[in-house]
Structures are given as C-alpha cells and as structure tokens.
Amino acid sequence: MDTQVAIIGGGPSGLLLSQLLNKAGISTIVLERSTREHVLSRIRAGILEWGTVEMLRKAGVNLRMESEGFPHDGCYMTDEDLMVHIDFKELTGKQVMVYGQTEVTADLYAAQDAMGTQIIHEVEDVKILDLDQEEAAVEYTLKGERKRITCAYVAGCDGFHGVSRKTIPEEKRREFERVYPFGWLGILSETPPCNDELIYCNSPRGFALASMRNAKLSRYYIQVPLTDKVEDWSDEAFWEELKSRLPSETAAKMQTGPSIEKSIAPLRSFVSEPLRWGRLFLVGDAAHIVPPTGAKGLNLAASDVHYLHEALVDALTKGDMTGIDTYSEVALKRIWKAMRFSWSMTTMMHRFDGEDEFAGAMRRSTLEHLASSETARRELAENYIGLPY
Ligand code: APR
Ligand code: PHB
C-alpha cells in the first residue's frame, strides 16, 4: 500500500484532513489539480465558527490566526434604517473569528510543508478505483506520465466540480439542490471597514453585506441579477448601490476606494447523499454547497473533517470501524442543519424577482421580531456561531 489515505483535493478540506491525519501518525498523499498559486489566489469568505478555530488549534495551524484574526462578539442585521445587533457573546457565550479562508489555506500549506507531507500539484485525469476491494487505488496523470497509488481509504475533498462525488454511481446518489435566482457581486477594497462588526442588509433594492479582512481591508457584497457581468459594474456604481442598501448612518461614514478584486458568485444550496461509497468518503464542497449568507462553507468542511479524521484514526490505529460506518449519517445530521440555516438567511435577506409586497413585509417583520425577541436572536446566534459537532 503506497499510503493509508489518498486525499483528492488540496483546498481547505483536503489540507486540514491531511494535517490532522499526519499529526495522528497516519500517512496521506494529497492530489491537487491546480498549482498551489492558483489555490491560494482564490478569494473566499472570512468567518470561522469557534469549532473551526478549535480544529485549527488542534491541527497546530492557529498561530497566525490568533495574531492576525479578529474575534467578533456579534453582527448586525438591518432593514433600511432598522439595525438589530445580534450579540453572539451575550446570547451564546461564544464568538466567531474573522480570518480569511485564503489565509487558513496558506497556513495549512505552510504546516504541511513543515511536516513534509506529500502534496502533488497539477495532477490530471484522476480516477478512483477498487473501492470495494481490500485496497483502493487512485490513478492520475502527472507531467504526461500515468501513475497509480494504492491506499486503505480515499477522501474526496475535491469540491463541487471534482471527480469524487461522481465516482459514486448516479443511481446510488440522492441529490438535493436549490439554485437561487441571483448572485453576489463582491469587492475587496483597501479601505477601513464601515463598521466594527459585519452588517447583513435587507433593503427594497436587495441584499448587501459589509464585511472585512482587517482594519485596512474591507469586503463588500451586493445581490445582483444572474444576468449581470462584472464588467457591468464600475467601482463608482458599486459603491453607490451598496450605500443605497446600508442604513443611511452607516453609508454616510463609509470610506470608498478602488476595488482590488471584483467578482460575481452564484448562490446555490446542494447536498449529495450518501457521503460514503465503500472506501471513499466525501468531504466539504464535494458533498455540499451552501449560499454564503450563513458563512457556513468552510465551517461545514471543518466539521466533516472533524468526523472523518476521528473515524479514520480509530479505524487505522485501533481497528474500530464505528466512525467509518457512521460517518455519512453523523456528518449529514450537522450538514442539513447548516443547510437549513443558510437557506433561511438567504430567503430572509434577499429580494426575489416578481415577489409581491407581502414578501418584503415578511422580511421587515422578521427583522422587527429579531429586534424585539431575545429568543429569536438567540436562535439565529446559535446557528451563526456554529452548532455543536
Ligand atoms: N483532482 C484533483 N483535485 C481536484 C479535482 C480533481 N479532479 N477537482 C477539483 N480539485 C481541487 C480543486 O482545485 C480545489 O483546490 O480540489 C480542491 C477543492 O477545494 P474547494 O473547492 O475549496 O473545496 P473544500 O476544500 O471542500 O473547501 C470548501 O472552499 O469553495 C470554498 O465555499 C467553499 O468555503 C468552502 C470551502
Ligand atoms: C466574507 O467576509 O467574505 C463573508 C462574511 C460573511 C458571509 C459571507 C462572506 O456570510
């Protein structure tokens, strides 16, 4: 056997799993389609649940996050000038950490290099085989040469467009999907954040989000029609539209500046069941996609990694197959709760084409209820900071 666990995909899921398994003395080989530079060029969300923070601490990949990340006690939900503070610390005793996924990925790569683990970049035509045999196999092409590795298990950490999920026969997969009729136009700007905590905005013109990476780097999003293209939006047009959706007091003090990154991302909810097929296990975006409204993408990947790494350690060091046999069921229980929260935040805060005035009134009323009910705020806070593993 060439390695104990072959990991397809060198994004956050694959790297965190490799880090935890190698720390437990289990050998891995990570097979990544892209170059490291390309993986690290991806701009992704920036909110870590405290469970994810603790996973990174357990993985020994927390030093830079602790020094450069920003613990946040809460966030705001707004509807025009109605601003509701959701105080996570007061309502749940917990915080979230503002620290970009790109930084998490860079920290994981640095830790993996320090550990001397095997990460092979620019692999092509990955095939996952023999999942019902004593040893699984993964074939791939590297610099024109066909390779084959044998392993005890395969972790499919290769994202929504990867090969792992499709290795499970279509007739054995049950897929759930909701594609939202809008996208998020996001920019990064070297400007101070407009607020000390995140602001999720509902407005008659649509959703907006004011986020940040640090005191000098802001991250903003506005809901746009799926037909919009990035080139349709000048920086000036973006700032004007964003300000029109924020509470007027916040908009008035906002500092604008040139965008250093600008992109449009579609929104979908997606789950594929089961997460296991013989010796193959799906992790992270390979198994599920959430709309970014609930900031759950990376955090769900982290909880999948938590369950799978524990299952693999038990199986490979103690011969205890309990975790392996229950991984799909256990991980899906938490996945579906995060799926529901992300869907509810998205439907609660976005304007849908063709909706009647009742829909807007329902969104406003939801915010009014949050303003007046500590129970409602606590329910939102518990989901946002992350449900227990
Ligand atoms: N072979 C090898 N690698 C592949 C293949 C393949 N056939 N297909 C995809 N990959 C690689 C991609 O290049 C990517 O680097 O798998 C990796 C998957 O990483 P992500 O898509 O980031 O998924 P994941 O690691 O589960 O992280 C989830 O990333 O996309 C965000 O919002 C998402 O925050 C969430 C997080
Ligand atoms: C981000 O900072 O990119 C971000 C924060 C919270 C979200 C989505 C994205 O819900």
Side-chain angles (χ1 to χ4, degrees), residues 169-290:
E170 193 170 355
E171 68 276 10
K172 299 292 184 186
R173 299 200 306 259
R174 191 175 173 206
E175 298 190 347
F176 305 78
E177 186 168 48
R178 170 66 51 81
V179 178
Y180 298 94
F182 39 73
W184 279 16
L185 167 62
I187 73 160
L188 265 180
S189 66
E190 289 169 333
T191 54
C194 67
N195 196 51
D196 57 350
E197 293 179 335
L198 272 65
I199 307 177
Y200 290 81
C201 308
N202 178 31
S203 88
R205 296 180 64 86
F207 172 80
L209 170 59
S211 183
M212 64 198 76
R213 289 293 175 272
N214 58 51
K216 295 185 180 132
L217 192 59
S218 297
R219 180 71 167 157
Y220 293 110
Y221 300 92
I222 56 172
Q223 168 188 351
V224 293
L226 279 175
T227 49
D228 276 15
K229 301 276 178 292
V230 176
E231 49 270 22
D232 297 340
W233 285 89
S234 67
D235 287 358
E236 293 66 33
F238 178 89
W239 291 117
E240 188 183 335
E241 186 58 40
L242 174 66
K243 285 182 176 181
S244 75
R245 301 185 186 187
L246 284 162
S248 47
E249 187 185 311
T250 308
K253 64 183 180 181
M254 171 174 273
Q255 280 192 46
T256 65
S259 60
I260 58 172
E261 194 273 343
K262 192 188 291 183
S263 54
I264 294 181
L267 275 69
R268 85 174 66 234
S269 297
F270 174 84
V271 180
S272 180
E273 297 182 353
L275 305 186
R276 176 189 185 183
W277 185 249
R279 294 183 174 276
L280 170 66
F281 298 88
L282 303 185
V283 180
D285 274 19
H288 43 74
I289 296 288
V290 282

Side-chain angles (χ1 to χ4, degrees), residues 12 32 35-36 46 96 106 113 118 148 169 171 200 204 210 249 256 270 280 325 348 351 387:
E32 166 55 47
T35 63
R36 184 175 295 197
V96 294
D113 291 347
Q118 290 188 74
R148 178 186 174 93
E171 68 276 10
Y200 290 81
E249 187 185 311
T256 65
F270 174 84
L280 170 66
D325 293 336
M348 177 175 96
R351 192 175 161 62
L387 297 175

Side-chain angles (χ1 to χ4, degrees), residues 7-15 31-35 38-39 42 44-45 101 105 109 120 123-126 156-164 283-290 296-299 301:
I7 298 174
I8 319 296
S13 294
L15 295 171
L31 299 172
E32 166 55 47
R33 178 174 62 183
S34 306
T35 63
H38 181 78
V39 175
R42 295 173 186 145
R44 291 280 201 280
Q101 176 177 314
T105 310
Y109 267 118
I120 304 171
V123 302
E124 296 172 289
D125 192 18
V126 169
C157 303
D158 48 350
F160 185 67
H161 301 288
V163 66
S164 299
V283 180
D285 274 19
H288 43 74
I289 296 288
V290 282
K296 291 298 166 202
L298 176 59
N299 294 299

